[in-house]
Amino acid sequence: MTALLVIAKEPVPGRVKTRLTPPFTPGEAAALAGAALSDTLRAATATPAARHVLVLDGSPGPWLPPGVEVRPQSTGTLDARLAAAFADCAGPALLIGMDTPQVTPGLLSPALDFTRYDAWFGPAADGGFWALGLAAPDPALLRGVPMSVPGTGAAQYARLRAAGLRVGLLPELRDVDTAADAREVAAAAPHGAFAALHGRLTASPEAVR
């Protein structure tokens, strides 16, 4: 009965992936964000969860596949928004972001099973985390965790362990934050929409790198 949540921001130029600009323009950065979100939702909906939920800051677009519930993202700091997303769940939930378009159903499926673990944790290469699963969603496990800093992942993992939870670890993935990240992620998942768009944007000698 695990719900699979994707927390995301509508890919609007100037509001998403601002660290990609430069070398990409705000419009290109937003397009890359939209492609990343599309790939992430495709992987999520191909994963056999009880519910597929998009926790969205903004409005749905053509990248939204059928069968996905859309819930508005709460206001406040990121820890508060993540906590609110879990608070809306009546049972086990796995939450991922839109920044890892290389994610696959094979990576996500094990984290829907809480037979052996009380929580699942997916570390990110930048020191954050790309996935968090809770058998019993408790907003207090997220509130107050410092977000968007190099120690975010370590702090969140420590919070889970301090609560006495058995934590299963998922593979480390790289978030798309910078142009270098985008290159690596596109190479790691060459068949997705993100890689295709990245390839078109960087195809010519004059293109951004």
Side-chain angles (χ1 to χ4, degrees):
M1 297 300 293
T2 305
L4 178 49
L5 316 178
V6 177
I7 189 163
K9 184 182 291 186
E10 181 185 1
V12 175
R15 293 194 66 235
V16 292
K17 295 299 163 204
T18 54
R19 290 173 62 190
L20 293 178
T21 305
F24 297 97
T25 68
E28 290 169 341
L32 285 167
L37 180 53
S38 178
D39 284 344
T40 302
L41 289 172
R42 186 177 299 110
T45 54
T47 304
R51 298 166 55 215
H52 299 91
V53 182
L54 175 63
V55 185
L56 182 64
D57 176 2
S59 302
W63 35 261
L64 181 69
V68 177
E69 301 175 40
V70 179
R71 294 202 171 192
Q73 205 173 124
S74 72
T75 58
T77 56
L78 180 55
D79 62 308
R81 286 180 278 139
L82 295 176
F86 277 107
D88 282 341
C89 298
L94 172 66
L95 181 144
I96 63 173
M98 61 181 282
D99 299 332
T100 51
Q102 71 273 44
V103 74
T104 65
L107 284 172
L108 296 175
S109 293
L112 299 178
D113 181 3
F114 290 94
T115 304
R116 295 173 53 204
Y117 299 109
D118 306 306
W120 286 92
F121 183 79
D126 64 359
F129 60 93
W130 66 270
L132 179 63
L134 297 173
D138 180 358
L141 291 170
L142 292 111
R143 293 192 187 111
V145 173
M147 296 288 164
S148 303
V149 296
T152 292
Q156 183 62 72
Y157 183 77
R159 179 72 67 87
L160 301 175
R161 296 292 295 164
L165 304 184
R166 300 167 299 164
V167 184
L169 290 176
L170 296 168
E172 181 181 278
L173 294 183
R174 179 173 294 278
D175 287 340
V176 174
D177 290 320
T178 67
D181 295 330
R183 283 195 300 272
E184 290 198 29
V185 170
H191 303 299
F194 181 85
L197 177 59
H198 185 270
R200 291 195 297 273
L201 293 176
T202 58
S204 72
E206 296 79 21
V208 290
R209 296 293 177 185

